[in-house]
Amino acid sequence: SNGITRPKGHTVSFHYNSGVEDMHFGKTHPMKPWRLTLTKHLVLGYGLQYAMDTYVAMPASKDQVRAFHDPDYVDFLKEVSPQTFRYQRFIPPKHEGDTVDLGPFNLSTSPGADCPVFDGMSEYLFLYTGATLAATNQLLTGQSDIAINWSGGLHHAHKSEASGFCYINDIVLAILDLLHLFPRVLYIDIDVHHGDGVEEAFQRQPRVMTLSYHRYGPYDETGHKFFPGTGDLADTGLKGTIGEHFALNVPIPSGIDDRQYKYLFESITARAIDAYKPKAIVLQCGADSLGGDRLGQFNINIKQHGECVSFVKKQGLPLLILGGGGYTARNVARAWCHETALATDNGANLPDRIPLDLVPRPQAFTGRAHGDGMLFPKFQRDHKNDCVEADLEYMVKRLEW
Ligand code: ZL4
Ligand code: CA
Ligand code: ZN
């Protein structure tokens, strides 16, 4: 036996469609759907499918996506391809030093674009969204207590605009569905980037509290603001509306370590849950907050990233677990596999090495290609730690109410 068991007292479901894997945003674009292949193979390699219900996701329908997004934008996303994409109007670059030509809806076929139009893009978008909506439905029907979609969590997409590698905001769609049943939903975002799209969508809505932890500072080493440049401590929802005070932001300097992150995350999250008393939680688990990430600037280890998931799970509320960023693929797969194990109470059952006799065959799968099974790597490239302890303490104090 592999030692993997089903959790006692709760049901976990895993939602995925391998159709998302074959996509390429472009040769050197940091977003690699291939990381999802690695994650899937690690999860299967350890036998975690035996601990949960696994579902092949269907693509979302246009109607489902229209619950948040502009109908014209939805039509465009459904139809567009690199062959048919045209620059319909000139839109000046949004950021200084930005050389790419942008087309409609912040999309582009230029190689430097954050949100390129690529082959198979439409299929990819509606598949990751479909998986999130299927996971959400499991929570709504009570068939799952925890539902997981590692291909979702695309928190930057706006109502009628793509942004930061995100085209459809599956998180907003999920929360809108959850609001049909749950009076209050808490959204927690541990991606290294600010969850701006989700915050914006619910900035007037007291029934959703958004809480994002993210890299934030006046300027980074290159003289630019860390993307997307929003999420100040003082931003707490749209002033003058009933949504004010229902957005929380935890802006963090570069290089934060496990101990400091644990202190911030656990004290602030606990106070938010205590005060808000949510009836369901959506957790975006962006893995770009790990040390050694190609785009991130934190020094968090997989162990601490996973402890955030365990801390939220411990609250015993219906929980939707989503992916997000993560640009050093082997670490993304290690983290999300580890967190799948935590969700199913198998955290202690994963050996350091993948038991190779459990690897699905036939398969050109080796331990090496999919990470060496080392769950808690020591990261090589550390970021300079700019965290002033007094500032962290101040943030916790300020966010208490
Ligand atoms: C790339 O190498 O900060 C895109 C994007 C494409 C291919 C070759 C082109 C080289 C890094 C990023 C030129 C790249 C110029 N290629 C990219 C202001 C920017 C405009 C675009 O994790 N240039 C924009 C978005 C962020 C900006 C982060 C995080 C998503 C999430 C959830 C989104 N955008 C400056 C950068 C490359 C590229 C290399 C890149 N883009 C890094 N950071 C950004 O929160 C999924
Ligand atoms: Ca975040
Ligand atoms: Zn990110």
Side-chain angles (χ1 to χ4, degrees):
S1 154
N2 57 4
I4 301 295
T5 54
R6 282 183 77 91
K8 284 168 195 56
H10 72 283
T11 302
V12 181
S13 60
F14 188 90
H15 303 265
Y16 188 62
N17 187 312
S18 301
V20 298
E21 292 170 10
D22 315 323
M23 308 305 174
H24 295 276
F25 280 62
K27 233 180 163 172
T28 60
H29 193 287
M31 179 56 99
K32 309 281 185 205
W34 155 249
R35 71 210 174 112
L36 300 167
T37 317
L38 302 191
T39 305
K40 176 186 76 181
H41 281 294
L42 264 191
V43 166
L44 295 175
Y46 277 113
L48 287 167
Q49 67 276 27
Y50 302 121
M52 50 192 187
D53 298 331
T54 56
Y55 295 90
V56 176
M58 300 288 287
S61 71
K62 283 213 263 182
D63 270 339
Q64 286 177 310
V65 177
R66 285 189 196 113
F68 171 57
H69 290 284
D70 188 314
D72 292 340
Y73 179 49
V74 178
D75 288 341
F76 194 85
L77 291 180
K78 189 77 188 177
E79 308 305 331
V80 73
S81 77
Q83 290 71 41
T84 62
F85 184 79
R86 297 277 177 278
Y87 291 104
Q88 296 173 344
R89 58 204 158 96
F90 176 76
I91 299 168
K94 262 198 158 174
H95 302 268
E96 209 184 318
D98 204 349
T99 53
V100 305
D101 296 317
L102 294 179
F105 308 113
N106 197 29
L107 300 173
S108 175
T109 46
S110 145
D114 274 353
C115 301
V117 175
F118 53 89
D119 277 315
M121 176 178 112
S122 189
E123 286 80 0
Y124 164 79
L125 303 180
F126 286 81
L127 282 178
Y128 78 64
T129 305
T132 293
L133 294 178
T136 305
N137 197 52
Q138 287 286 119
L139 301 176
L140 286 169
T141 59
Q143 292 178 86
S144 308
D145 302 288
I146 302 179
I148 303 175
N149 171 25
W150 294 125
S151 65
L154 286 307
H155 59 179
H156 297 307
H158 302 284
K159 185 179 160 72
S160 52
E161 195 177 273
S163 171
F165 321 160
C166 306
Y167 304 74
I168 294 176
N169 201 317
D170 60 304
I171 308 169
V172 171
L173 295 173
I175 295 173
L176 287 172
D177 276 356
L178 292 172
L179 287 176
H180 292 307
L181 185 64
F182 301 108
R184 287 176 307 284
V185 177
L186 175 63
Y187 171 68
I188 307 172
D189 184 318
I190 60 170
D191 190 289
V192 75
H193 298 96
H194 176 221
D196 60 345
V198 185
E199 178 184 303
E200 179 190 74
F202 297 112
Q203 59 181 341
R204 306 159 182 275
Q205 173 59 279
R207 290 180 59 202
V208 179
M209 175 175 277
T210 59
L211 168 56
S212 176
Y213 297 82
H214 46 267
R215 171 75 176 89
Y216 179 89
Y219 294 99
D220 69 11
E221 300 77 46
T222 60
H224 290 95
K225 278 202 167 183
F226 192 76
F227 187 87
T230 49
D232 195 276
L233 188 64
D235 299 337
T236 56
L238 194 59
K239 298 211 173 2
T241 73
I242 54 170
E244 191 178 354
H245 306 304
F246 294 97
L248 292 177
N249 285 299
V250 187
I252 302 172
S254 69
I256 189 169
D257 65 23
D258 288 350
R259 182 186 54 80
Q260 295 166 327
Y261 199 91
K262 186 182 180 67
Y263 168 65
L264 279 183
F265 184 84
E266 295 190 356
S267 37
I268 293 170
T269 304
R271 294 290 286 133
I273 291 171
D274 190 45
Y276 190 61
K277 300 189 170 43
K279 293 294 180 188
I281 300 181
V282 178
L283 178 60
Q284 196 267 22
C285 299
D288 48 5
S289 41
L290 294 172
D293 187 81
R294 181 175 160 196
L295 297 190
Q297 300 181 3
F298 290 169
N299 287 325
I300 308 300
N301 281 283
I302 287 169
K303 185 170 181 292
Q304 177 50 42
H305 202 271
E307 279 180 25
C308 296
V309 177
S310 295
F311 187 84
V312 172
K313 174 182 168 250
K314 210 168 63 188
Q315 310 300 320
L317 293 162
L319 175 60
L320 177 61
I321 295 183
L322 301 172
Y327 306 100
T328 299
R330 62 189 183 280
N331 293 336
V332 177
R334 286 166 173 151
W336 290 349
C337 174
H338 175 56
E339 287 160 14
T340 306
L342 293 175
T344 59
D345 292 345
N346 281 289
N349 300 343
L350 292 202
D352 279 352
R353 303 262 156 193
I354 308 163
L356 288 174
D357 58 326
L358 283 169
V359 173
R361 292 169 202 284
Q363 180 54 262
F365 177 94
T366 66
R368 198 177 71 87
H370 298 93
D372 50 15
M374 182 179 61
L375 275 173
F376 310 117
K378 289 232 178 345
F379 295 109
Q380 301 274 299
R381 283 173 293 130
D382 271 10
H383 278 279
K384 182 172 156 297
N385 192 318
D386 291 322
C387 294
V388 179
E389 300 281 334
D391 290 349
L392 301 182
E393 213 174 298
Y394 170 74
M395 259 192 282
V396 172
K397 286 259 152 31
R398 257 213 51 183
L399 291 167
E400 280 186 9
W401 61 119

